[in-house]
Amino acid sequence: MSLELEHYCPECEEYREFWKVASTTMHLGQKVKWHCGECDYGFVRIDGEVDTAQSA
């Protein structure tokens, strides 16, 4: 898995480069934390199924 990711940042209101800051395996799968390189906005993805960056 890559250490960087192009993703929309709601704080910067544009696409930015996000950096992987943590990764762990849990009962739901691989949990990865990403942070924006510009403003430090962060989100979590779990096995590609759960994404805290997406609105409900």
Side-chain angles (χ1 to χ4, degrees):
M1 180 177 271
S2 177
L3 296 177
E4 56 187 74
L5 168 75
E6 183 82 13
H7 197 278
Y8 182 78
C9 178
E11 296 291 322
C12 297
E13 297 183 340
E14 61 183 273
Y15 281 86
R16 295 283 189 186
E17 199 169 81
F18 279 71
W19 293 91
K20 181 165 68 171
V21 294
S23 177
T24 189
T25 302
M26 52 190 288
H27 68 284
L28 295 174
Q30 184 78 19
K31 176 182 172 184
V32 181
K33 293 182 180 182
W34 298 92
H35 280 222
C36 176
E38 295 294 319
C39 71
D40 208 34
Y41 168 81
F43 69 93
V44 174
R45 281 190 176 163
I46 302 173
D47 247 9
E49 300 295 321
V50 179
D51 190 338
T52 61
Q54 296 179 1
S55 59

